[in-house]
Amino acid sequence: MDKRPIGIFDSGVGGMTVLAQIKKYLPNEDLIYLGDTKNFPYGDKSKETIIKLSTKCIEFLIRQKVKMIIIACGTATSQSLEEVKKIYRLPIEGIIHPTVQDIKNSIKTEKLRIGVIATEGTIRSNKWQEELIRAMKEVEVINKACPLLAPMAEQGWTNNKVAKEAIKEYMKPFQNQKMDKLILGCTHYPLFCDLMKEELGNDVEIINTGEKIAKYLKEYLEKEEMENEEQHVGKSNYYLTDTECNFIEVASRLLKDETLETKIQKIDIE
Amino acid sequence: MDKRPIGIFDSGVGGMTVLAQIKKYLPNEDLIYLGDTKNFPYGDKSKETIIKLSTKCIEFLIRQKVKMIIIACGTATSQSLEEVKKIYRLPIEGIIHPTVQDIKNSIKTEKLRIGVIATEGTIRSNKWQEELIRAMKEVEVINKACPLLAPMAEQGWTNNKVAKEAIKEYMKPFQNQKMDKLILGCTHYPLFCDLMKEELGNDVEIINTGEKIAKYLKEYLEKEEMENEEQHVGKSNYYLTDTECNFIEVASRLLKDETLETKIQKIDIE
């Protein structure tokens, strides 16, 4: 058993959708969350910049003595995971592999039609498509970049009229496509899940990568005997690189935790 | 007289609203436009990064032998103009000074109430407020950051339902404020001008900085005897650092020029 906390990072508030699922599946693990809000958005930055930023986030979390790291950011997963895995010895996982493996293990139909929505950077990297095709032969992927959604979530616009109209617009390519699943390839997107359901109806399964990561993490820690077996409710600590943002408002609503503000510290990782 | 072209740059398509006005006021000047679309958005990048990017844009334009440079980007003006003016010998101007001077010269009322909308970076820099207060004593400034508007314009969403709802939301702090003017402190924003007028009515003068810059430029070139006095219609050349974007679609519509695509070259300024 391993009492050290799990480290989680994202460019902003999106990764909190992953943290919420990890809390649910692994309630007695301690968690350390880093939101690199100073450098938000990652979505349209170059691969080189994303690698540099991811490295800084990982090194901060290593200094907090975490036992493993979850890159709870679609863009950082697609642009930097391969590279950072070569550098660091501790286990690091992103949002793509656990999600694709879970889909693979659960498929019932022979042919799958899967939609992927994500930032420009993630869609351009083609990582989701590559990993889906590698895991399953008979899969057709429909990609769509949704560059406004992460900034919108970061601003707290997840259920107002602007968000509604934006989701309507972004869901258009998926209408009447007989899709089986829609993967939310950016961790900010579960914040719009209800609006997406309204547009797509019940026939399309919307995949929240946070849940898949939490399930993967549970299995991984058990297999490696790295669980925190203490009989307690795990603590979470939150670090932000910039606090002049709507993180607290959006995250408090998501976690239903009104005391969140008191658990947040501003730090510098440069 | 000086036949060399005028250089103009922005992070994306926004500066084209300035170029359109310069074409109108100075039809026989040759123009060179640089859209740093690869590094869009500038709006939430650090001051240090903006200075580095502005320097690269300016050096590219200097290599094109321009006679002067207009920073047609609100964020780059507020974050880097002071610094780059110290480095380069050729005249460089941004969007703030010409606009404030024009307002100062045209005021009729004693007390002015002015709204400023811009990116996060520009609002945080406080440059508009500082320059307005320095120029006019009796002025009250209401600031509002509109972080989604530039990405929305860049995506071509300037008149759809999403844009309409976003403008409604962003105009709320200016309702019933008895404002005299609203300065569009980001060059992308004139693309939403009609929607803003619908919200604010006719009592508020919406200030398109492009027009102020064009007027300033005309006076400056005359005073310095730097006009291009050839009897011809000036040529414009366009350079983008990334062409995987909606620049052509948005800019063609703005300039009403269907042949724009043929005049665009992709370049690397790194």
Side-chain angles (χ1 to χ4, degrees):
Chain A
M1 92 159 221
D2 190 336
K3 288 184 188 178
R4 289 175 300 166
I6 298 165
I8 302 162
F9 80 87
D10 178 38
S11 60
V13 76
M16 292 293 278
T17 63
V18 177
L19 178 129
Q21 295 291 333
I22 296 177
K23 269 173 161 317
K24 200 167 117 189
Y25 279 79
L26 294 159
N28 54 344
E29 294 292 335
D30 293 332
L31 306 177
I32 292 184
Y33 187 88
L34 169 59
D36 189 13
T37 40
K38 187 176 168 193
N39 294 303
F40 178 85
Y42 281 11
D44 33 29
K45 287 190 170 66
S46 70
K47 187 180 171 75
E48 191 195 346
T49 304
I50 305 287
I51 293 175
K52 216 160 73 184
L53 295 171
S54 296
T55 304
K56 288 186 175 172
C57 292
I58 289 169
E59 290 180 358
F60 170 79
L61 291 171
I62 290 177
R63 288 198 296 277
Q64 310 312 307
K65 303 199 183 1
V66 297
K67 60 184 168 192
M68 73 175 292
I69 290 173
I70 297 296
I71 304 185
C73 169
T75 308
T77 300
S78 68
Q79 309 277 32
S80 71
L81 179 63
E82 257 178 62
E83 283 71 14
V84 296
K85 272 189 160 181
K86 289 177 199 156
I87 305 174
Y88 302 100
R89 284 180 59 189
L90 89 169
I92 305 176
E93 192 48 87
I95 73 167
I96 299 179
H97 179 72
T99 306
V100 173
Q101 286 309 307
D102 187 85
I103 295 175
K104 189 188 170 186
N105 296 337
S106 69
I107 42 173
K108 289 163 200 155
T109 50
E110 271 190 16
K111 282 187 184 178
L112 268 187
R113 273 171 80 79
I114 300 185
V116 176
I117 54 173
T119 62
E120 289 280 8
T122 300
I123 294 299
R124 250 200 314 249
S125 78
N126 219 21
K127 285 271 189 265
W128 278 102
Q129 184 152 340
E130 278 173 16
E131 192 128 359
L132 284 164
I133 288 169
R134 198 182 305 133
M136 291 162 281
K137 278 175 200 157
E138 296 270 20
V139 61
E140 207 177 319
V141 183
I142 308 169
N143 287 299
K144 171 82 183 151
C146 305
L148 285 181
L149 292 189
M152 218 174 253
E154 213 64 32
Q155 200 181 267
W157 288 8
T158 55
N159 202 21
N160 67 1
K161 284 184 183 168
V162 189
K164 270 185 197 137
E165 293 299 340
I167 294 297
K168 257 188 201 166
E169 200 61 43
Y170 282 136
M171 291 299 110
K172 275 183 187 164
F174 302 114
Q175 301 286 8
N176 309 317
Q177 288 291 319
K178 297 194 177 156
M179 275 199 326
D180 301 290
K181 298 168 196 295
L182 176 69
I183 295 175
L184 309 186
C186 167
T187 55
H188 286 82
Y189 297 178
L191 295 162
F192 304 97
C193 194
D194 292 343
L195 293 177
M196 290 176 189
K197 273 186 192 154
E198 275 175 33
E199 288 306 305
L200 297 177
N202 289 324
D203 291 343
V204 181
E205 182 197 359
I206 294 178
I207 296 187
N208 175 349
T209 59
E211 202 198 336
K212 308 302 180 193
I213 294 158
K215 277 168 69 178
Y216 163 88
L217 199 53
K218 194 172 158 65
E219 281 170 29
Y220 180 86
L221 294 179
E222 280 169 16
K223 198 183 72 183
E224 302 290 327
E225 298 183 349
M226 281 169 73
E227 314 110 288
N228 186 340
E229 290 172 341
E230 288 182 286
Q231 294 300 319
H232 75 157
V233 176
K235 271 186 299 187
S236 300
N237 284 306
Y238 305 93
Y239 297 90
L240 299 182
T241 53
D242 187 1
T243 49
E244 284 178 35
C245 56
N246 293 304
F247 184 95
I248 295 162
E249 185 204 321
V250 181
S252 305
R253 216 162 49 206
L254 176 70
L255 295 187
K256 300 181 179 70
D257 179 356
E258 284 170 13
T259 66
L260 188 68
E261 193 167 357
T262 60
K263 298 169 197 158
I264 293 176
Q265 289 174 61
K266 188 182 169 186
I267 47 135
D268 194 354
I269 57 167
E270 309 283 309
Chain B
M1 94 157 218
D2 190 335
K3 287 184 190 177
R4 289 175 301 166
I6 297 165
I8 302 161
F9 79 88
D10 178 38
S11 60
V13 77
M16 293 292 279
T17 64
V18 177
L19 177 130
Q21 295 291 334
I22 296 176
K23 270 172 156 324
K24 201 167 117 187
Y25 279 78
L26 294 158
N28 53 346
E29 293 292 335
D30 293 330
L31 307 176
I32 292 184
Y33 187 88
L34 170 59
D36 188 13
T37 40
K38 188 176 167 191
N39 294 304
F40 178 85
Y42 281 11
D44 34 29
K45 287 190 171 65
S46 71
K47 187 178 171 78
E48 190 196 347
T49 304
I50 305 286
I51 293 174
K52 215 159 75 182
L53 294 171
S54 296
T55 305
K56 287 186 176 176
C57 290
I58 288 169
E59 289 180 358
F60 170 79
L61 290 170
I62 290 176
R63 289 197 295 277
Q64 310 313 307
K65 304 195 177 10
V66 297
K67 60 185 167 191
M68 74 176 291
I69 290 173
I70 297 295
I71 304 186
C73 169
T75 309
T77 299
S78 67
Q79 309 277 32
S80 72
L81 179 64
E82 256 178 62
E83 282 71 15
V84 297
K85 272 189 160 182
K86 289 176 200 158
I87 307 174
Y88 303 99
R89 285 181 57 189
L90 89 168
I92 305 177
E93 193 48 86
I95 72 167
I96 299 179
H97 179 72
T99 306
V100 172
Q101 286 310 307
D102 187 84
I103 294 174
K104 189 187 171 186
N105 297 337
S106 69
I107 41 174
K108 289 163 201 156
T109 50
E110 271 190 19
K111 283 189 185 177
L112 266 187
R113 273 170 79 78
I114 299 186
V116 177
I117 54 173
T119 62
E120 289 279 7
T122 300
I123 295 299
R124 249 199 317 250
S125 79
N126 219 20
K127 285 272 189 262
W128 278 101
Q129 184 152 338
E130 279 174 15
E131 192 128 1
L132 285 163
I133 289 170
R134 197 181 306 135
M136 291 161 282
K137 277 175 201 156
E138 296 270 20
V139 62
E140 206 178 320
V141 183
I142 308 169
N143 288 299
K144 171 80 184 153
C146 304
L148 285 180
L149 292 189
M152 217 174 255
E154 212 64 32
Q155 200 181 267
W157 288 7
T158 55
N159 203 21
N160 67 0
K161 285 183 183 170
V162 189
K164 269 183 199 141
E165 294 298 340
I167 294 297
K168 257 188 203 167
E169 200 60 41
Y170 283 135
M171 290 300 110
K172 276 182 187 167
F174 303 114
Q175 301 288 4
N176 309 316
Q177 289 290 320
K178 296 193 177 158
M179 277 198 326
D180 301 290
K181 299 170 197 290
L182 176 69
I183 295 175
L184 309 186
C186 167
T187 54
H188 286 81
Y189 297 179
L191 295 163
F192 303 97
C193 194
D194 292 342
L195 293 178
M196 289 175 188
K197 272 187 191 151
E198 275 175 34
E199 290 305 307
L200 297 177
N202 290 325
D203 292 343
V204 181
E205 183 197 359
I206 293 177
I207 295 187
N208 176 350
T209 59
E211 201 196 338
K212 308 302 179 193
I213 295 158
K215 278 168 69 179
Y216 163 88
L217 200 52
K218 193 173 159 64
E219 282 169 28
Y220 179 88
L221 294 178
E222 278 169 17
K223 197 182 74 185
E224 301 290 327
E225 297 183 351
M226 281 169 72
E227 313 111 288
N228 186 341
E229 290 174 340
E230 288 182 287
Q231 294 301 319
H232 76 158
V233 176
K235 269 185 300 187
S236 299
N237 284 307
Y238 306 93
Y239 298 90
L240 299 182
T241 53
D242 187 1
T243 48
E244 283 178 36
C245 56
N246 293 304
F247 183 96
I248 295 162
E249 184 203 321
V250 181
S252 306
R253 216 161 50 204
L254 176 71
L255 294 187
K256 298 181 180 72
D257 179 356
E258 283 170 13
T259 65
L260 187 68
E261 192 168 356
T262 61
K263 298 169 196 158
I264 292 176
Q265 289 172 63
K266 189 182 168 185
I267 49 133
D268 194 353
I269 57 167
E270 309 281 310

